[in-house]
Amino acid sequence: MKPTRISTTPCRPAPVGWPAAVLFDRDGTLVHDVPYNGDATRVRPVPAAEAALGVLRRRGIPVGVVTNQSGVARGLIAEEQLRAVNRRVEELLGPFDVWAICRHAPEDGCACRKPAPGLVLQAAARLGVPPAEVVVIGDIGSDVDAARAAGARGVLVPTPVTRPAEVLAAPMTAPDLLTAVLLVLGGAR
């Protein structure tokens, strides 16, 4: 299947109707990526994050976060630091309807760590929506792969760390978060 590409607004309509919920990766997608960030003062939203979330919230579409945080398992950040960073994200971007967090290391082999579907399935269940009606927006291939594995739709918003192969494999891409949200809403503002 050939990936859908967009590069300008107005964006192309999404292939199906509005999602029942939109889940976002945290680091590199909603906020600038600071590896193993345990310092809430270093949290900075990416451009258009607030606007993208506002579009969804005004339509009553639940929003959530699905994030791998292996720094906890690796002993690089404490649980309280993780909670403080997540609180700061909400202070800057508003409340999220659900948070699904994998604290495992990659070698733990858990079912929740993206690209496994566990976080997406967990968030969808907590929101009471079918995974097939969920969209996951992220900056790397594991975000899109987790969506696919859960039966959800994925949208990739590439950053400098996104590998070219991940961009080519993504079913949908967008140049920024606001465009990604408009894409899944069929261009509605």
Side-chain angles (χ1 to χ4, degrees):
M1 177 176 178
K2 188 173 180 178
T4 302
R5 299 277 180 250
I6 62 170
S7 59
T8 61
T9 53
C11 50
R12 294 182 193 168
V16 294
W18 286 8
V22 177
L23 306 174
F24 295 87
D25 172 57
R26 190 187 82 178
D27 302 317
T29 302
L30 288 173
V31 298
H32 289 279
D33 188 14
V34 176
Y36 307 111
N37 186 16
D39 181 355
T41 65
R42 297 183 72 191
V43 174
R44 291 182 308 120
V46 300
E50 189 174 5
L53 290 164
V55 167
L56 294 167
R57 289 175 176 141
R58 283 190 297 278
R59 285 164 178 71
I61 298 172
V63 294
V65 178
V66 288
T67 180
N68 290 344
Q69 294 298 319
S70 67
V72 175
R74 296 171 190 213
L76 300 172
I77 59 173
E79 185 66 34
E80 180 49 42
Q81 290 174 301
L82 173 62
R83 284 193 297 270
V85 167
N86 291 343
R87 277 192 306 269
R88 184 64 179 151
V89 171
E90 286 199 327
E91 288 170 7
L92 295 170
L93 296 175
F96 289 88
D97 299 292
V98 66
W99 283 81
I101 303 166
C102 175
R103 294 162 174 84
H104 302 105
E107 59 272 10
D108 291 341
C110 66
C112 55
R113 183 176 175 78
K114 296 179 288 181
L119 293 178
V120 177
L121 295 172
Q122 180 187 112
R126 288 175 51 202
L127 291 170
V129 299
E133 296 178 22
V134 171
V135 171
V136 178
I137 299 176
D139 66 317
I140 59 175
S142 67
D143 299 316
V144 174
D145 292 343
R148 185 179 296 121
R153 290 187 289 153
V155 180
L156 186 71
V157 179
T159 67
V161 303
T162 311
R163 295 188 316 248
E166 294 171 327
V167 176
L168 291 174
M172 285 189 276
T173 63
D176 58 60
L177 276 184
L178 182 56
T179 305
V181 165
L182 295 176
L183 173 68
V184 300
L185 294 178
R189 284 196 174 260

